[in-house]
mmCIF file of all heavy atoms in Angstrom:
data_model
loop_
_atom_site.group_PDB
_atom_site.id
_atom_site.type_symbol
_atom_site.label_atom_id
_atom_site.label_comp_id
_atom_site.label_asym_id
_atom_site.label_seq_id
_atom_site.Cartn_x
_atom_site.Cartn_y
_atom_site.Cartn_z
ATOM 1 N N LEU A 38 162.255 74.544 164.471
ATOM 2 C CA LEU A 38 162.434 75.567 165.450
ATOM 3 C C LEU A 38 163.168 76.739 164.933
ATOM 4 O O LEU A 38 164.021 76.710 163.994
ATOM 5 C CB LEU A 38 163.358 74.904 166.582
ATOM 6 C CG LEU A 38 162.653 73.797 167.363
ATOM 7 C CD1 LEU A 38 163.536 73.291 168.430
ATOM 8 C CD2 LEU A 38 161.407 74.472 168.128
ATOM 9 N N ASN A 39 162.819 77.919 165.313
ATOM 10 C CA ASN A 39 163.386 79.210 164.950
ATOM 11 C C ASN A 39 164.817 79.193 165.301
ATOM 12 O O ASN A 39 165.298 78.894 166.456
ATOM 13 C CB ASN A 39 162.758 80.316 165.655
ATOM 14 C CG ASN A 39 162.860 81.725 164.877
ATOM 15 O OD1 ASN A 39 163.940 81.976 164.450
ATOM 16 N ND2 ASN A 39 161.751 82.210 164.622
ATOM 17 N N GLU A 40 165.696 79.449 164.322
ATOM 18 C CA GLU A 40 167.168 79.586 164.502
ATOM 19 C C GLU A 40 167.554 80.555 165.526
ATOM 20 O O GLU A 40 168.529 80.489 166.257
ATOM 21 C CB GLU A 40 167.965 79.754 163.213
ATOM 22 C CG GLU A 40 168.125 78.628 162.328
ATOM 23 C CD GLU A 40 168.550 79.161 160.962
ATOM 24 O OE1 GLU A 40 168.690 80.378 160.678
ATOM 25 O OE2 GLU A 40 168.855 78.248 160.179
ATOM 26 N N ASP A 41 166.773 81.737 165.565
ATOM 27 C CA ASP A 41 166.995 82.723 166.553
ATOM 28 C C ASP A 41 166.327 82.237 167.880
ATOM 29 O O ASP A 41 165.147 82.151 168.007
ATOM 30 C CB ASP A 41 166.133 84.006 166.025
ATOM 31 C CG ASP A 41 166.288 85.099 167.147
ATOM 32 O OD1 ASP A 41 166.811 84.997 168.164
ATOM 33 O OD2 ASP A 41 165.741 86.246 166.689
ATOM 34 N N LEU A 42 167.174 81.996 168.863
ATOM 35 C CA LEU A 42 166.768 81.476 170.056
ATOM 36 C C LEU A 42 165.902 82.352 170.983
ATOM 37 O O LEU A 42 165.146 81.997 171.805
ATOM 38 C CB LEU A 42 167.958 81.045 170.989
ATOM 39 C CG LEU A 42 168.829 79.936 170.322
ATOM 40 C CD1 LEU A 42 170.105 79.673 171.304
ATOM 41 C CD2 LEU A 42 168.024 78.676 170.253
ATOM 42 N N ASP A 43 165.765 83.623 170.608
ATOM 43 C CA ASP A 43 165.007 84.635 171.153
ATOM 44 C C ASP A 43 163.707 84.681 170.525
ATOM 45 O O ASP A 43 162.881 85.467 171.156
ATOM 46 C CB ASP A 43 165.680 85.907 171.067
ATOM 47 C CG ASP A 43 166.326 86.445 172.425
ATOM 48 O OD1 ASP A 43 165.910 85.823 173.403
ATOM 49 O OD2 ASP A 43 167.055 87.389 172.422
ATOM 50 N N ASN A 44 163.447 84.133 169.437
ATOM 51 C CA ASN A 44 162.246 84.198 168.720
ATOM 52 C C ASN A 44 161.311 83.058 169.058
ATOM 53 O O ASN A 44 161.579 81.863 168.771
ATOM 54 C CB ASN A 44 162.520 84.202 167.241
ATOM 55 C CG ASN A 44 161.312 84.715 166.388
ATOM 56 O OD1 ASN A 44 160.176 84.557 166.782
ATOM 57 N ND2 ASN A 44 161.429 85.586 165.369
ATOM 58 N N PRO A 45 160.181 83.409 169.664
ATOM 59 C CA PRO A 45 159.150 82.293 170.118
ATOM 60 C C PRO A 45 158.438 81.647 168.976
ATOM 61 O O PRO A 45 157.649 80.651 169.189
ATOM 62 C CB PRO A 45 158.258 82.942 171.107
ATOM 63 C CG PRO A 45 158.246 84.384 170.585
ATOM 64 C CD PRO A 45 159.533 84.717 169.979
ATOM 65 N N PHE A 46 158.481 82.189 167.741
ATOM 66 C CA PHE A 46 157.663 81.721 166.769
ATOM 67 C C PHE A 46 158.531 80.633 165.881
ATOM 68 O O PHE A 46 159.544 80.779 165.368
ATOM 69 C CB PHE A 46 157.278 82.748 165.704
ATOM 70 C CG PHE A 46 156.461 83.932 166.390
ATOM 71 C CD1 PHE A 46 157.001 85.021 166.811
ATOM 72 C CD2 PHE A 46 155.120 83.576 166.821
ATOM 73 C CE1 PHE A 46 156.308 85.898 167.496
ATOM 74 C CE2 PHE A 46 154.352 84.499 167.317
ATOM 75 C CZ PHE A 46 154.877 85.682 167.748
ATOM 76 N N HIS A 47 157.867 79.401 165.918
ATOM 77 C CA HIS A 47 158.402 78.310 164.966
ATOM 78 C C HIS A 47 157.458 77.773 164.028
ATOM 79 O O HIS A 47 156.416 78.422 163.836
ATOM 80 C CB HIS A 47 158.669 77.091 165.996
ATOM 81 C CG HIS A 47 159.391 77.546 167.309
ATOM 82 N ND1 HIS A 47 160.666 77.968 167.378
ATOM 83 C CD2 HIS A 47 158.927 77.728 168.593
ATOM 84 C CE1 HIS A 47 160.988 78.398 168.560
ATOM 85 N NE2 HIS A 47 159.942 78.225 169.309
ATOM 86 N N PHE A 48 157.763 76.796 163.330
ATOM 87 C CA PHE A 48 156.879 76.227 162.301
ATOM 88 C C PHE A 48 156.520 74.795 162.487
ATOM 89 O O PHE A 48 157.447 73.933 162.791
ATOM 90 C CB PHE A 48 157.621 76.383 160.887
ATOM 91 C CG PHE A 48 157.557 77.710 160.383
ATOM 92 C CD1 PHE A 48 158.840 78.535 160.595
ATOM 93 C CD2 PHE A 48 156.558 78.304 159.757
ATOM 94 C CE1 PHE A 48 158.814 79.795 160.043
ATOM 95 C CE2 PHE A 48 156.645 79.551 159.197
ATOM 96 C CZ PHE A 48 157.790 80.398 159.369
ATOM 97 N N LEU A 49 155.277 74.380 162.110
ATOM 98 C CA LEU A 49 154.885 73.053 162.027
ATOM 99 C C LEU A 49 154.735 72.852 160.591
ATOM 100 O O LEU A 49 153.882 73.463 159.974
ATOM 101 C CB LEU A 49 153.514 72.883 162.752
ATOM 102 C CG LEU A 49 152.885 71.480 162.670
ATOM 103 C CD1 LEU A 49 153.741 70.428 163.454
ATOM 104 C CD2 LEU A 49 151.490 71.387 163.117
ATOM 105 N N GLN A 50 155.827 72.114 160.003
ATOM 106 C CA GLN A 50 155.770 71.926 158.518
ATOM 107 C C GLN A 50 155.293 70.545 158.111
ATOM 108 O O GLN A 50 155.769 69.541 158.685
ATOM 109 C CB GLN A 50 157.188 72.169 158.123
ATOM 110 C CG GLN A 50 157.613 71.842 156.668
ATOM 111 C CD GLN A 50 157.100 72.762 155.581
ATOM 112 O OE1 GLN A 50 157.166 74.034 155.859
ATOM 113 N NE2 GLN A 50 156.398 72.194 154.656
ATOM 114 N N SER A 51 154.508 70.667 157.081
ATOM 115 C CA SER A 51 153.942 69.278 156.449
ATOM 116 C C SER A 51 155.189 68.661 155.851
ATOM 117 O O SER A 51 155.804 69.358 155.000
ATOM 118 C CB SER A 51 152.756 69.496 155.536
ATOM 119 O OG SER A 51 152.687 68.492 154.669
ATOM 120 N N LYS A 52 155.389 67.398 155.965
ATOM 121 C CA LYS A 52 156.397 66.662 155.239
ATOM 122 C C LYS A 52 156.071 66.536 153.801
ATOM 123 O O LYS A 52 156.997 66.609 152.911
ATOM 124 C CB LYS A 52 156.626 65.308 155.923
ATOM 125 C CG LYS A 52 157.779 64.429 155.268
ATOM 126 C CD LYS A 52 157.815 63.047 155.829
ATOM 127 C CE LYS A 52 158.037 62.053 154.730
ATOM 128 N NZ LYS A 52 157.893 60.606 155.041
ATOM 129 N N ASN A 53 154.889 66.311 153.490
ATOM 130 C CA ASN A 53 154.417 65.868 152.102
ATOM 131 C C ASN A 53 154.012 67.138 151.248
ATOM 132 O O ASN A 53 153.940 66.914 150.103
ATOM 133 C CB ASN A 53 153.401 64.850 152.127
ATOM 134 C CG ASN A 53 153.904 63.611 152.935
ATOM 135 O OD1 ASN A 53 154.960 63.086 152.632
ATOM 136 N ND2 ASN A 53 153.217 63.322 153.929
ATOM 137 N N THR A 54 153.568 68.176 151.919
ATOM 138 C CA THR A 54 153.004 69.378 151.238
ATOM 139 C C THR A 54 153.865 70.596 151.497
ATOM 140 O O THR A 54 153.785 71.199 152.575
ATOM 141 C CB THR A 54 151.587 69.631 151.569
ATOM 142 O OG1 THR A 54 150.939 68.362 151.387
ATOM 143 C CG2 THR A 54 150.923 70.733 150.798
ATOM 144 N N GLY A 55 154.843 70.900 150.625
ATOM 145 C CA GLY A 55 155.709 71.984 150.920
ATOM 146 C C GLY A 55 155.002 73.204 151.286
ATOM 147 O O GLY A 55 155.658 74.076 152.169
ATOM 148 N N GLU A 56 153.984 73.603 150.732
ATOM 149 C CA GLU A 56 153.434 74.980 151.000
ATOM 150 C C GLU A 56 152.717 74.953 152.336
ATOM 151 O O GLU A 56 152.167 75.986 152.735
ATOM 152 C CB GLU A 56 152.300 75.173 149.981
ATOM 153 C CG GLU A 56 152.666 75.004 148.440
ATOM 154 C CD GLU A 56 152.225 73.600 148.109
ATOM 155 O OE1 GLU A 56 151.018 73.329 147.902
ATOM 156 O OE2 GLU A 56 153.221 72.797 147.966
ATOM 157 N N LEU A 57 152.448 73.796 152.917
ATOM 158 C CA LEU A 57 151.663 73.792 154.172
ATOM 159 C C LEU A 57 152.580 73.805 155.428
ATOM 160 O O LEU A 57 153.251 72.952 155.785
ATOM 161 C CB LEU A 57 150.785 72.381 154.215
ATOM 162 C CG LEU A 57 149.755 72.485 155.490
ATOM 163 C CD1 LEU A 57 148.735 73.633 155.276
ATOM 164 C CD2 LEU A 57 149.132 71.049 155.562
ATOM 165 N N SER A 58 152.405 75.023 156.072
ATOM 166 C CA SER A 58 153.324 75.242 157.138
ATOM 167 C C SER A 58 152.651 76.232 158.115
ATOM 168 O O SER A 58 151.991 77.234 157.607
ATOM 169 C CB SER A 58 154.546 75.976 156.671
ATOM 170 O OG SER A 58 155.484 76.100 157.537
ATOM 171 N N PHE A 59 152.486 75.847 159.381
ATOM 172 C CA PHE A 59 151.888 76.696 160.397
ATOM 173 C C PHE A 59 152.717 77.352 161.319
ATOM 174 O O PHE A 59 153.773 76.610 161.788
ATOM 175 C CB PHE A 59 150.969 75.813 161.236
ATOM 176 C CG PHE A 59 149.884 75.076 160.511
ATOM 177 C CD1 PHE A 59 149.883 73.800 160.095
ATOM 178 C CD2 PHE A 59 148.618 75.832 160.323
ATOM 179 C CE1 PHE A 59 148.986 73.142 159.319
ATOM 180 C CE2 PHE A 59 147.566 75.088 159.643
ATOM 181 C CZ PHE A 59 147.729 73.735 159.068
ATOM 182 N N VAL A 60 152.583 78.576 161.567
ATOM 183 C CA VAL A 60 153.408 79.287 162.651
ATOM 184 C C VAL A 60 152.861 78.816 163.968
ATOM 185 O O VAL A 60 151.655 78.764 164.161
ATOM 186 C CB VAL A 60 153.293 80.778 162.562
ATOM 187 C CG1 VAL A 60 154.014 81.460 163.711
ATOM 188 C CG2 VAL A 60 153.850 81.238 161.144
ATOM 189 N N ILE A 61 153.856 78.396 164.824
ATOM 190 C CA ILE A 61 153.341 77.876 166.151
ATOM 191 C C ILE A 61 154.054 78.688 167.137
ATOM 192 O O ILE A 61 155.202 79.162 167.018
ATOM 193 C CB ILE A 61 153.463 76.361 166.249
ATOM 194 C CG1 ILE A 61 154.908 75.970 165.894
ATOM 195 C CG2 ILE A 61 152.508 75.645 165.435
ATOM 196 C CD1 ILE A 61 155.356 74.508 166.108
ATOM 197 N N VAL A 62 153.582 78.590 168.511
ATOM 198 C CA VAL A 62 154.288 79.096 169.608
ATOM 199 C C VAL A 62 154.081 78.120 170.707
ATOM 200 O O VAL A 62 153.052 77.445 170.752
ATOM 201 C CB VAL A 62 153.765 80.392 170.118
ATOM 202 C CG1 VAL A 62 154.367 81.576 169.282
ATOM 203 C CG2 VAL A 62 152.335 80.551 170.217
ATOM 204 N N ASN A 63 154.974 78.188 171.757
ATOM 205 C CA ASN A 63 154.732 77.421 172.956
ATOM 206 C C ASN A 63 153.711 78.416 173.739
ATOM 207 O O ASN A 63 154.156 79.407 174.118
ATOM 208 C CB ASN A 63 155.997 77.323 173.726
ATOM 209 C CG ASN A 63 155.876 76.779 175.095
ATOM 210 O OD1 ASN A 63 154.790 76.862 175.602
ATOM 211 N ND2 ASN A 63 156.878 76.233 175.594
ATOM 212 N N PRO A 64 152.557 78.034 174.016
ATOM 213 C CA PRO A 64 151.594 78.801 174.514
ATOM 214 C C PRO A 64 151.839 79.345 175.993
ATOM 215 O O PRO A 64 151.504 80.414 176.364
ATOM 216 C CB PRO A 64 150.234 78.125 174.454
ATOM 217 C CG PRO A 64 150.649 76.744 174.406
ATOM 218 C CD PRO A 64 151.946 76.696 173.645
ATOM 219 N N PHE A 65 152.672 78.461 176.638
ATOM 220 C CA PHE A 65 153.005 78.805 178.062
ATOM 221 C C PHE A 65 154.033 79.905 178.102
ATOM 222 O O PHE A 65 154.226 80.597 179.113
ATOM 223 C CB PHE A 65 153.588 77.473 178.762
ATOM 224 C CG PHE A 65 152.610 76.364 178.663
ATOM 225 C CD1 PHE A 65 152.700 75.396 177.821
ATOM 226 C CD2 PHE A 65 151.494 76.333 179.594
ATOM 227 C CE1 PHE A 65 151.859 74.306 177.768
ATOM 228 C CE2 PHE A 65 150.564 75.307 179.568
ATOM 229 C CZ PHE A 65 150.680 74.235 178.610
#
Side-chain angles (χ1 to χ4, degrees):
Chain A
L38 291 174
N39 205 310
E40 280 171 353
D41 175 355
L42 297 177
D43 253 344
N44 195 323
F46 298 103
H47 313 287
F48 285 98
L49 180 68
Q50 168 74 48
S51 159
K52 180 188 140 190
N53 302 307
T54 305
E56 318 86 70
L57 188 64
S58 189
F59 297 94
V60 175
I61 54 178
V62 281
N63 174 340
F65 304 100

